[in-house]
Amino acid sequence: MGIIVQKFGGSSVADKEKLYNVANIITKSYDEGNKVVVVVSAQGKTTDGLVSKAKEITDNPFKREYDVLLSTGEQITISLLAMVLNKMGKKAVSFTGWQLPIITDNNYSNAKIKYIDKSRILEKLNEDYIVIIAGFQGIDENENITTLGRGGSDTTAVALAATLEADRCEIYTDVDGVFLTDPKIIKDVKKLDEISYEEMLELATAGAKVLHNRCVEIGKKRDVDIIVKSSLEEGTGGTVVKHQDNLEDMYISGIAKDNNIARITIIGVENKLGRTYKIFDLLAKENINIDIIVQPIGEHFEKDISFTISKENLKKTLEVLKKNIDIIGAKDVRYREDLCKISVVGVGMINNPGIAAKIFEALYENNINMHMITTSEIKISVLVNFEDADIAVKSIHDKFFL
Ligand code: ASP
Ligand code: MG
């Protein structure tokens, strides 16, 4: 029989009752004859709680110690879940990231998995154990504990599925799959039965919080079918993320809203060769991810450059830019935090002209001003005022689907 990987997020394992519920899902798959590898997140809002504890002490903890702290939440869940399964009469054993080990690079708080040693997992599966693994964590080559970035347990699960050549990777959450947009914004919004890796990747990167974007990248590269479904209710079978052949039929597969952005504008950059390169090189060296970039053609000897980053990088970005303002050759650095990014994703965009116009029309009809626009082959993103964001999502949704 094949291996399946099942991942349960924080809301699915939040308390004792939820752990029993999850244990029932696991034993059902196990009793059907599968070899089951389970990946879990920290319970409920545990990781947020750990972040607050660190903040009580310092705004700038050593990154190494921060990851030691943040990785602890998952260790609680693996042991409790193993106890529940044991109590139900099943053989179950837990492993932390370092016990396997899961080897990552040393980029604390956003580490990438390099290699997973699967020997202990296979050994235990062969002895008919259910193997439970802490998500979100690993160790670097010097045995420092690392974490994979918030939401990173998804990535642990898909990386394990790839390494173990599992039949599939099931990601259990509190909603029944991937929806066209956040059901909290639009009630009764359509659930997708299937979505391509490409679209899911754009949506995850655009701020849809269903899946960690790096897990989708791994899934795509290693051809792992990822199934997103609810652990709390018998749903409709969730959403399958996989390769799709009939890409052209699909039109729009998602509208995502991202609150977690800040826009930086660097004013009066000298219009000289290498200035833009210098700016983004400085930020890259600090591991700051840049999203939308706009650099209008400088008419005279100066230009303004705007770009977006995630809010947690704002302080660092301002620091780096202000410190280097002379090297960059700019007059001023400004920022706004009161904007929201709305992204519309769909492979059908490639072959259907007019989608951008329709989106802009929907926003215009609702008096929503756009502060920045960017497009790729399968995505259009716009920045709007925070307070306009939900209406923007709804108006775009209604324009295409009503
Ligand atoms: N516990 C971690 C977090 O809250 C990782 C995860 O849940 O995937 O971000
Ligand atoms: Mg998650």
Side-chain angles (χ1 to χ4, degrees), residues 63-127:
K63 290 176 166 182
R64 180 186 183 281
E65 303 314 325
Y66 191 68
D67 277 18
V68 172
L69 176 67
L70 257 60
S71 69
T72 58
E74 274 68 12
Q75 188 167 337
I76 297 174
T77 322
I78 54 170
S79 53
L80 291 177
L81 182 56
M83 288 179 204
V84 170
L85 285 161
N86 290 155
K87 205 169 164 197
M88 291 165 72
K90 297 288 174 196
K91 288 165 86 174
V93 59
S94 70
F95 292 106
T96 61
W98 60 266
Q99 283 178 307
L100 293 175
I102 295 176
I103 305 287
T104 70
D105 63 20
N106 63 359
N107 187 14
Y108 293 116
S109 294
N110 197 21
K112 299 221 161 56
I113 297 175
K114 290 171 117 176
Y115 170 75
I116 299 178
D117 185 341
K118 60 183 174 184
S119 53
R120 292 186 82 174
I121 303 175
L122 291 178
E123 187 190 309
K124 286 298 172 191
L125 287 178
N126 286 334
E127 294 169 12

Side-chain angles (χ1 to χ4, degrees), residues 271-384:
N271 200 357
K272 270 194 188 159
L273 185 66
R275 290 296 191 223
T276 309
Y277 159 67
K278 186 76 215 161
I279 293 168
F280 292 107
D281 187 48
L282 283 166
L283 298 173
K285 289 199 171 110
E286 295 291 338
N287 262 313
I288 294 168
N289 268 333
I290 311 291
D291 189 20
I292 308 180
I293 303 176
V294 174
Q295 183 198 295
I297 297 169
E299 284 275 330
H300 302 292
F301 301 106
E302 288 180 352
K303 58 194 175 192
D304 299 339
I305 298 173
S306 294
F307 55 89
T308 60
I309 50 175
S310 59
K311 280 204 171 98
E312 58 269 20
N313 283 330
L314 179 61
K315 209 169 137 214
K316 183 67 147 292
T317 304
L318 292 174
E319 246 170 55
V320 173
L321 294 176
K322 288 191 171 149
K323 202 166 79 195
N324 292 288
I325 198 155
D326 293 335
I327 303 174
I328 297 165
K331 292 211 172 99
D332 197 9
V333 178
R334 293 183 196 157
Y335 69 95
R336 275 185 74 170
E337 280 186 280
D338 56 344
L339 300 171
C340 218
K341 183 176 72 174
I342 310 291
S343 303
V344 185
V345 171
V347 280
M349 284 185 191
I350 304 173
N351 297 307
N352 291 291
I355 291 190
K358 224 164 145 178
I359 293 170
F360 302 156
E361 187 183 18
L363 297 177
Y364 165 72
E365 285 167 355
N366 287 279
N367 286 317
I368 296 172
N369 197 14
M370 296 179 281
H371 298 286
M372 231 163 155
I373 303 170
T374 175
T375 64
S376 79
E377 266 195 318
I378 68 167
K379 181 176 79 177
I380 295 172
S381 298
V382 298
L383 291 194
V384 300

Side-chain angles (χ1 to χ4, degrees), residues 7-10 41 150-154 171-173 209-212:
K7 181 257 171 181
F8 297 93
S41 293
R150 297 303 306 271
S153 295
D154 296 341
I171 307 260
Y172 287 87
T173 175
K209 291 190 193 69
V210 229
L211 287 180
H212 197 227

Side-chain angles (χ1 to χ4, degrees), residues 188-208:
D188 302 323
V189 65
K190 184 170 163 268
K191 192 209 75 181
L192 308 169
D193 293 331
E194 292 188 350
I195 185 170
S196 66
Y197 293 116
E198 290 78 5
E199 290 167 309
M200 195 61 235
L201 194 56
E202 290 280 18
L203 281 176
T205 315

